[in-house]
Amino acid sequence: MTPDDQLVATRKQERRLTALIALAIVAAVTSFAFAAFTSVDAGRSAGDSSPSAIDQPTGKKRGAPGAEDGVLPDNASPFDTSLPGVAKLNPKLLKAIQQAATAMEADGITMHLTTGWRSKEYQEELLQKAIRKYGSEEKAREFVSSPEDSHHVTGNAVDVGPTDADDWINRKGARFGLCQTLSNEMWHFELATTPGGTCPPMQGSAR
Ligand SMILES: [Zn+2]
């Protein structure tokens, strides 16, 4: 081997080493990205089965929606503004629903809210559950709307119980501006007319 040959051999080794290092960096970046992607995905599908799952780099917990997402306890009063699901309603709707609750109480009916305001995350969870139940998003959307479309997410809709209270609002709610707006949800009410006005025709799909 001449000195020139040795020089060439050394340069070849150097180039090979550089290529190996570059390859290692690419592999590391790729596996990190893949790990990040799959952990986010796993967190989504884990949903209600693992409420303490942490899937975000921020460490934010993602699991079953809670009170801060608008989940209400059984028989939640429309006057209990310690509940985010009640407090985050559009103030005009909240006032109307409280007035209706007071008026129906005089008729012997106690109103409760099953849902008021919902966070986008809660709405998304409901939609994903419905997709699992009905097998397709198209079918699920007949019963549950997307976070972008839901009037619960904007605080402009309430789901009321029991059935006697729904019936009461359907007969007398317009005096407070309250109307059933979806034909397939007799419990879902929005401010849809001026107080004492006439309710508009109902729509067919879920909100
Ligand atoms: Zn509703």
Side-chain angles (χ1 to χ4, degrees):
M1 227 184 220
T2 69
D4 270 0
D5 286 342
Q6 276 183 345
L7 193 63
V8 168
T10 307
R11 291 214 173 125
K12 267 187 185 165
Q13 278 178 347
E14 280 174 1
R15 275 203 295 272
R16 197 172 297 161
L17 193 64
T18 308
L20 275 174
I21 290 169
L23 200 64
I25 290 171
V26 168
V29 168
T30 306
S31 65
F32 177 79
F34 183 71
F37 174 77
T38 50
S39 74
V40 166
D41 201 43
R44 282 226 180 98
S45 56
D48 40 12
S49 64
S50 72
S52 64
I54 295 173
D55 65 5
Q56 304 289 338
T58 56
K60 185 183 183 298
K61 276 190 179 182
R62 187 188 175 92
E68 72 279 8
D69 292 297
V71 175
L72 296 178
D74 288 347
N75 303 318
S77 163
F79 296 96
D80 187 353
T81 52
S82 71
L83 301 166
V86 175
K88 290 186 177 182
L89 285 170
N90 176 330
K92 287 181 181 167
L93 173 61
L94 180 58
K95 191 178 171 200
I97 208 75
Q98 288 175 341
Q99 287 173 334
T102 301
M104 75 174 69
E105 193 71 48
D107 290 346
I109 300 165
T110 299
M111 176 206 290
H112 64 250
L113 299 185
T114 51
T115 307
W117 168 84
R118 286 184 199 130
S119 71
K120 280 187 173 176
E121 290 74 17
Y122 183 12
Q123 188 70 32
E124 179 66 29
E125 178 70 16
L126 292 177
L127 180 60
Q128 293 304 323
K129 252 185 204 168
I131 291 171
R132 289 197 291 272
K133 179 175 176 183
Y134 296 107
S136 78
E137 176 156 3
E138 191 189 358
K139 187 71 182 164
R141 286 290 303 273
E142 289 177 29
F143 304 97
V144 181
S145 69
S146 71
E148 290 71 31
D149 297 335
S150 173
H151 288 195
H152 286 286
V153 172
T154 59
N156 286 306
V158 285
D159 293 344
V160 171
T163 308
D164 283 353
D166 300 329
D167 179 58
W168 191 98
I169 299 178
N170 276 313
R171 287 183 288 111
K172 302 180 179 178
R175 71 173 75 158
F176 307 106
L178 294 167
C179 301
Q180 180 188 340
T181 53
L182 304 173
S183 58
N184 62 349
E185 295 188 11
M186 71 165 294
W187 55 84
H188 176 108
F189 299 98
E190 303 183 25
L191 275 183
T193 186
T194 51
T198 305
C199 287
M202 296 175 202
Q203 296 179 3
S205 62
R207 296 275 170 81

